[in-house]
Amino acid sequence: DTGVSQDPRHKITKRGQNVTFRCDPISEHNRLYWYRQTLGQGPEFLTYFQNEAQLEKSRLLSDRFSAERPKGSFSTLEIQRTEQGDSAMYLCASSFPSGGSDYEQYFGPGTRLTVT
Amino acid sequence: AQSVTQLDSQVPVFEEAPVELRCNYSSSVSVYLFWYVQYPNQGLQLLLKYLSGSTLVKGINGFEAEFNKSQTSFHLRKPSVHISDTAEYFCAVSGRAAGNKLTFGGGTRVLVKP
């Protein structure tokens, strides 16, 4: 068990560019979550998947944001036409519902995005 | 919908002194409660969780928390802190329905001084 991994760890981009982040969950986990954390704030929920199905999206997830989990394993989060307000840490977490005990989410190290 | 309020944004404390971090939540449904710790430039690590049963919950690194349903609180305590406890601490809740997305408080930054 190598934990949740995210790539890249840091991304600097210019306003208007597109960026894509990747998350690899713990291998047997079938739920995957994305959160966004701005400086000095707690993380905010963006979206989650169960296997390949995206089951919930926050209204924070504007139409410039899209997330996929094509084979129910890794996930990607794409931001199109980035804005300075997108600068944040993007956190991925995974969990494994087992007998209803799907409460514990394991977090990756995050991808820090800076939009200049 | 749920919300979480962490009453202190910063808590300075001397090494080996006790610390208490306050957390209040609001929810129309039953919830699970969590405390996470975040070290600089890292993700979140679970300290402890309350699901049901005993209202006093013990976690890693000597931390404990007490669930108080009537006051809708879940305060975190440690009797004696170390320099290595310097970090940001987040209280979080999730509903018990499918999905269990977490709602976080704004965080409390603990600075342990020698």
Side-chain angles (χ1 to χ4, degrees):
Chain A
D1 177 1
T2 57
V4 178
S5 62
Q6 293 187 245
D7 183 69
R9 294 290 307 275
H10 303 274
K11 178 71 177 178
I12 300 174
T13 192
K14 292 186 178 179
R15 188 176 55 186
Q17 297 295 304
N18 299 344
V19 294
T20 300
F21 311 140
R22 176 178 170 127
C23 171
D24 287 87
I26 294 171
S27 59
E28 66 270 26
H29 285 189
N30 62 4
R31 285 212 178 132
L32 187 148
Y33 303 78
W34 285 100
Y35 293 85
R36 181 173 69 186
Q37 184 180 20
T38 52
L39 207 58
Q41 302 296 318
E44 296 173 295
F45 169 78
L46 291 178
T47 188
Y48 94 95
F49 293 83
Q50 178 157 320
N51 299 313
E52 65 275 10
Q54 188 174 20
L55 296 186
E56 187 174 348
K57 292 194 290 187
S58 162
R59 54 191 170 83
L60 291 176
L61 213 64
S62 77
D63 56 6
R64 295 185 298 107
F65 288 70
S66 62
E68 293 183 342
R69 195 182 182 198
K71 297 182 180 178
S73 56
F74 73 91
S75 175
T76 58
L77 178 68
E78 181 183 17
I79 309 174
Q80 295 183 327
R81 305 181 303 281
T82 52
E83 301 173 356
Q84 287 188 320
D86 297 331
S87 295
M89 175 82 89
Y90 290 83
L91 295 164
C92 176
S94 68
S95 72
F96 177 58
S98 172
S101 59
D102 60 341
Y103 41 78
E104 187 163 344
Q105 295 180 26
Y106 295 80
F107 282 81
T111 294
R112 183 169 294 283
L113 173 66
T114 302
V115 181
T116 62
Chain B
Q2 293 97 35
S3 66
V4 178
T5 302
Q6 292 184 240
L7 297 162
D8 307 293
S9 59
Q10 278 197 110
V11 173
V13 57
F14 286 105
E15 194 174 16
E16 298 184 7
V19 70
E20 179 179 78
L21 308 184
R22 297 179 293 169
C23 172
N24 286 89
Y25 70 93
S26 171
S27 177
S28 56
V29 298
S30 296
V31 295
Y32 298 135
L33 294 151
F34 307 84
W35 276 98
Y36 283 86
V37 60
Q38 186 176 36
Y39 300 102
N41 298 315
Q42 294 188 27
L44 301 172
Q45 180 182 6
L46 182 66
L47 278 178
L48 47 78
K49 57 185 179 282
Y50 173 78
L51 307 178
S52 64
S54 172
T55 57
L56 183 62
V57 178
K58 293 191 183 297
I60 63 171
N61 300 343
F63 284 93
E64 65 181 30
E66 186 151 21
F67 170 57
N68 187 318
K69 187 175 182 179
S70 62
Q71 297 187 0
T72 60
S73 67
F74 190 54
H75 300 333
L76 180 72
R77 290 187 284 265
K78 185 170 183 177
S80 175
V81 297
H82 303 291
I83 295 287
S84 59
D85 292 321
T86 294
E88 186 127 24
Y89 293 79
F90 292 96
C91 180
V93 302
S94 73
R96 298 189 178 201
N100 288 354
K101 62 185 178 186
L102 293 166
T103 299
F104 287 87
T108 298
R109 184 172 299 277
V110 173
L111 176 60
V112 181
K113 303 176 180 180

